[in-house]
Amino acid sequence: MAPSDALDRFAAPVRAWFETSLGAPTDAQIGAWAPISAGEGLLLCAPTGSGKTLAAFLWSIDRLAFGPPPATPAPTRADQPGTRVLYISPLRALAVDIDKNLRAPLRGIELAADRLGVAHRPVTVGVRTGDTSADERRRLRRHPPDILITTPESLYLMLTSAARETLSSVETVIIDEIHAVAATKRGAHLALTLERLELVTEQSPQRIGLSATQRPMEEIAHFLGGNVVGAGGEVTGPRPITIVDAGNRKVLDIEVVVPVEDMGQLGSASLAPTGGPGEGSSPRSSIWPEMHPRLLDLIKTHRSTLVFVNARRLAERLASRLNELAIDGSNLSAESHGSSTAVGEELVKAHHGSLSREQRLVIEDELKRGELAGLVATSSLELGIDRGAVDLVVQVASPGSVAAGLQRIGRAGHQVGAPSRGRIFPKHRADLLETAVVVERMLAGEIEHTRFLRNPLDVLAQQIVAACALDEWTVDELLRLCRASAPFGELSEELFESVLDLLDGRYPSEEFSELRPRVVWDRAASIVRGRQGSQRLAVTNAGTIPDRGLFGVFLPDGTRVGELDEEMVYESRPGETFLLGASTWRIEEITFQKVIVTPAPGQPGKMPFWHGDGPGRPVELGRAIGKFVREIRALPPAEALSRLQSENRLDRWAS
């Protein structure tokens, strides 16, 4: 379809704003708008920076602003429609960013409508995540927004409370970065939540899934749509989902950089020839003394650099060390110019999930505006957050998978048609080997296969308790609800009734006798209902993200700073200082559940640590590494070097 024809389906103000602000639509947008406008379920696979999020939202915005109002208002207020569009994000940071990025098109379309004299209704947007205050949640219930941005866990909580009334008018559900949840228990939990939403809404909502790294798409489409279930509880097939593959891959400018001549000689007397990095005869015990200056140079020679690491502790440590080097360099510069005062600068900051929402928002805004030279982050910034100012991504150590590598490097040049520029610094020889294979597969687009879980019964038990907390169900209705979700489409009656037995208090032995029943299963009437307190139990144990026993870190006035591992808190004492977010904090008090701190700028502090930080490796990548090693060993050295530099993008010392 021609770009001009694709825009013809929209109202005149929407067309005017789009053409003035963005020009012609992308292939992803052209391909998505036809099925979206026809009301079809859609799975859109498109590279980072192709405008797929706007493609999902624009038709809904057009309908909300210029289409007819909903036939029935929300039950909460007779004069106020309920929420009509749900956007579900796997990350709170992504949810907040989408909220900000929606403001510009909404305001631009309103101005275009005023200029053209076209009547329109204002479109309201709300955000509900784990960071949303109780007062704001109550306000969202009293005044439900047209577009609600939320997370899988917050949607589950809404459906398990009186707030579900505001969702009865939902017409569209957009699930962003769907690959990030599909293969996990969190995805199975979300799939059941979507089926519970189906029963609350007046009409079956249109489902739209978005991702840049999903494969095979048929599996993800099945996960997104769920199953068609007959009156007898039998699965007759998956719900229809249209797949749009905007297959043009983004241009990647990648290089694997090793700052020492031989990684096998770390700790020996000589690392590099005269004139190269690592010049000198003093032994090195690690690669970091050679890597830090290279990272600092890259940050200083680019407008805004995003440095990805695989653990929160490394993010803090690396940000602190880069700032120290930057300050030392500034002081040397000042001395060479005869200045009497030392020059210091906070060049980079750290960003990870253990920082508070307020801290993360400030840092993200600084990065987005181009005011921050560098940011060291974990996977907290990996997904599709619009970082227009970033012109270079540095990955320290292998990203661990092809999908993660594409997501992270794709943060650079996050505009339509712009190449993504990335540099990867392996930490040791095995890391270099994995990195070489990851880069080769990134360039070939060989993303790991995703397979959603089948029958995770712990998730099933949790959702049954939540569903029965507010309503009574027949056993057949409950079974149909579960089988309608893709992860439970193969659920047998025997397994289902075993879970109901467990929840009803019928245990296989006396060893389980201390467990409290959660539901009442009236076998004579074939009815399941919640016991007293089941609703509170469901909402206080939401989601599948495990409680890691982290301690909250707060200022004396109650402002949240972040969180620390319980073992680190156990080893700490009042008066000590530590780093969090590349800033220093002094411990004033430690209680049984939180740490009270005050700022201690300029003071040295110990590095925080968290357990269970490292990522795993997909089995496909492990097999690819074995195949790669066999092939490289079989090649003559000159041919092997040529391949490593051309196909794996290794620099001279890396190859």
Side-chain angles (χ1 to χ4, degrees):
M1 183 182 295
S4 57
D5 296 336
L7 287 169
D8 286 344
R9 68 185 75 246
F10 295 98
V14 177
R15 292 198 306 270
W17 168 80
F18 194 98
E19 291 171 344
T20 302
S21 303
L22 302 174
T26 64
D27 291 342
Q29 292 166 340
I30 294 172
W33 285 335
I36 289 176
S37 61
E40 301 172 11
L42 171 71
L43 177 64
L44 175 58
C45 182
T48 300
S50 59
K52 58 183 178 293
T53 307
L54 182 60
F57 269 114
L58 198 61
W59 179 252
S60 294
I61 293 172
D62 182 278
R63 190 175 68 250
L64 290 169
F66 305 102
T72 56
T76 50
R77 285 188 58 188
D79 61 337
Q80 173 119 17
T83 295
R84 296 174 65 185
V85 179
L86 265 180
Y87 170 88
I88 302 174
S89 160
L91 282 184
R92 286 176 290 182
L94 178 54
V96 173
D97 198 75
I98 292 295
D99 173 43
K100 292 179 180 177
N101 289 340
L102 271 178
R103 307 292 180 182
L106 288 174
R107 182 58 180 158
I109 291 169
E110 284 183 5
L111 293 174
D114 292 340
R115 187 172 65 251
L116 297 173
V118 177
H120 65 280
R121 293 186 301 109
V123 179
T124 56
V125 181
V127 179
R128 174 170 171 151
T129 69
D131 293 326
T132 305
S133 66
D135 288 343
E136 177 65 13
R137 291 177 189 178
R138 284 191 289 269
R139 190 192 68 79
L140 289 172
R141 184 184 168 193
R142 290 193 302 269
H143 307 283
D146 297 311
I147 300 174
L148 179 63
I149 297 168
T150 188
T151 61
E153 292 72 29
S154 290
L155 177 58
Y156 164 87
L157 291 173
M158 292 182 71
L159 290 170
T160 317
S161 69
R164 64 180 180 170
E165 296 175 350
T166 65
L167 302 176
S168 62
S169 53
V170 168
E171 301 166 354
T172 303
V173 178
I174 301 170
I175 306 173
D176 206 353
E177 305 294 356
I178 190 171
H179 73 279
V181 296
T184 65
K185 286 187 178 181
R186 195 180 181 202
H189 188 275
L190 173 61
L192 275 174
T193 299
L194 291 176
E195 296 309 321
R196 291 175 59 200
L197 177 68
E198 289 271 341
L199 299 180
V200 170
T201 54
E202 297 156 1
Q203 59 181 354
S204 181
Q206 180 183 25
R207 301 188 187 190
I208 301 173
L210 308 175
S211 179
T213 52
Q214 51 196 3
R215 177 174 166 234
M217 284 184 282
E218 291 75 16
E219 177 88 352
I220 304 298
H222 185 192
F223 170 79
L224 171 65
N227 298 313
V228 178
V229 181
E234 71 284 356
V235 175
T236 59
R239 290 193 186 103
I241 295 290
T242 301
I243 297 174
V244 173
D245 183 9
N248 52 324
R249 290 196 296 270
K250 193 158 187 178
V251 177
L252 298 176
D253 175 8
I254 305 178
E255 186 178 24
V256 180
V257 181
V258 171
V260 296
E261 184 182 20
D262 187 350
M263 300 179 86
Q265 294 183 8
L266 292 175
S268 64
S270 177
L271 277 177
T274 303
E279 179 180 354
S281 59
S282 59
R284 296 287 190 186
S285 60
S286 78
I287 200 171
W288 292 110
E290 309 298 329
M291 191 185 296
H292 288 144
R294 295 288 294 273
L295 296 177
L296 184 61
D297 184 58
L298 287 172
I299 291 171
K300 287 187 171 182
T301 54
H302 290 82
R303 179 188 176 191
S304 194
T305 303
L306 192 52
V307 182
F308 278 108
V309 295
N310 295 332
R312 287 167 287 184
R313 185 179 189 182
L314 180 55
E316 294 283 355
R317 189 170 62 206
L318 186 56
S320 175
R321 182 57 184 147
L322 291 174
N323 283 330
E324 289 173 4
L325 285 176
I327 291 172
D328 291 344
S330 299
N331 289 344
L332 287 174
S333 177
E335 290 174 8
S336 66
H337 287 85
S339 174
S340 59
T341 58
V343 180
E345 59 175 317
E346 190 179 49
L347 191 70
V348 301
K349 292 185 178 180
H351 186 290
H352 49 76
S354 289
L355 290 178
S356 69
R357 173 179 181 267
E358 292 75 18
Q359 294 266 321
R360 294 196 308 267
L361 289 179
V362 169
I363 293 171
E364 290 165 16
D365 283 342
E366 290 177 354
L367 177 70
K368 194 166 184 179
R369 292 194 302 266
E371 298 173 0
L372 195 59
L375 182 60
V376 184
T378 59
S379 58
S380 57
L381 286 182
E382 176 182 307
L383 297 182
I385 302 172
D386 181 9
R387 301 295 168 203
V390 175
D391 54 353
L392 177 70
V393 167
V394 174
Q395 168 69 42
V396 176
S398 166
S401 72
V402 177
L406 288 171
Q407 289 286 352
R408 294 180 177 190
I409 300 300
R411 298 308 101 209
H414 197 278
Q415 301 94 13
V416 176
S420 294
R421 191 161 181 260
R423 299 293 179 263
I424 304 179
F425 286 76
K427 296 193 296 183
H428 47 78
R429 287 182 295 174
D431 196 25
L432 170 60
L433 178 61
E434 181 177 306
T435 300
V437 178
V438 168
V439 169
E440 184 177 36
R441 292 171 70 84
M442 284 172 62
L443 295 170
E446 296 179 359
I447 303 165
E448 295 85 8
H449 281 72
T450 299
R451 186 177 186 271
F452 60 79
L453 297 181
R454 268 69 172 177
N455 296 336
L457 299 184
D458 49 353
V459 174
L460 178 64
Q462 181 185 22
Q463 287 280 14
I464 288 176
V465 173
C468 296
L470 301 180
D471 301 297
E472 282 191 357
W473 297 74
T474 69
V475 173
D476 291 341
E477 288 173 343
L478 206 51
L479 181 58
R480 283 199 298 271
L481 168 79
C482 299
R483 285 180 173 172
S485 67
F488 296 96
E490 303 167 11
L491 180 67
S492 67
E493 289 188 26
E494 180 183 5
L495 273 179
F496 176 68
E497 291 180 359
S498 295
V499 173
L500 286 183
D501 275 337
L502 173 74
L503 295 175
D504 185 39
R506 180 180 289 187
Y507 305 126
S509 72
E510 292 184 359
E511 296 176 5
F512 298 88
S513 59
E514 294 183 4
L515 295 179
R516 266 181 36 220
R518 309 304 189 190
V519 302
V520 175
W521 180 10
D522 184 343
R523 288 167 174 79
S526 193
I527 295 291
V528 183
R529 60 179 179 272
R531 289 181 179 265
Q532 184 177 3
S534 60
Q535 193 266 350
R536 180 179 296 275
L537 182 71
V539 299
T540 53
N541 295 273
T544 61
I545 301 173
D547 183 352
R548 296 166 300 191
L550 300 177
F551 275 64
V553 180
F554 297 86
L555 294 175
D557 64 1
T559 302
R560 185 179 177 87
V561 176
E563 55 191 13
L564 294 174
D565 189 273
E566 61 178 343
E567 185 173 326
M568 180 187 171
V569 175
Y570 179 77
E571 296 175 357
S572 301
R573 297 293 180 269
E576 294 181 353
T577 56
F578 66 93
L579 293 172
L580 189 61
S583 299
T584 308
W585 308 90
R586 179 176 287 105
I587 299 175
E588 302 294 341
E589 182 184 359
I590 299 176
T591 72
F592 72 97
Q593 63 180 357
K594 61 184 178 180
V595 181
I596 309 300
V597 300
T598 53
Q603 298 296 315
K606 65 180 180 180
M607 289 293 164
F609 62 85
W610 295 267
H611 289 291
D613 247 5
R617 184 169 77 186
V619 66
E620 286 179 71
L621 179 57
R623 293 192 182 110
I625 291 173
K627 179 173 180 287
F628 171 80
V629 170
R630 291 191 297 273
E631 292 175 352
I632 286 294
R633 280 177 171 164
L635 293 176
E639 189 176 338
L641 286 173
S642 175
R643 171 182 166 173
L644 291 170
Q645 292 177 0
S646 61
E647 298 182 20
N648 302 88
R649 304 291 176 88
L650 272 60
D651 72 359
R652 183 170 64 90
W653 279 355
S655 56

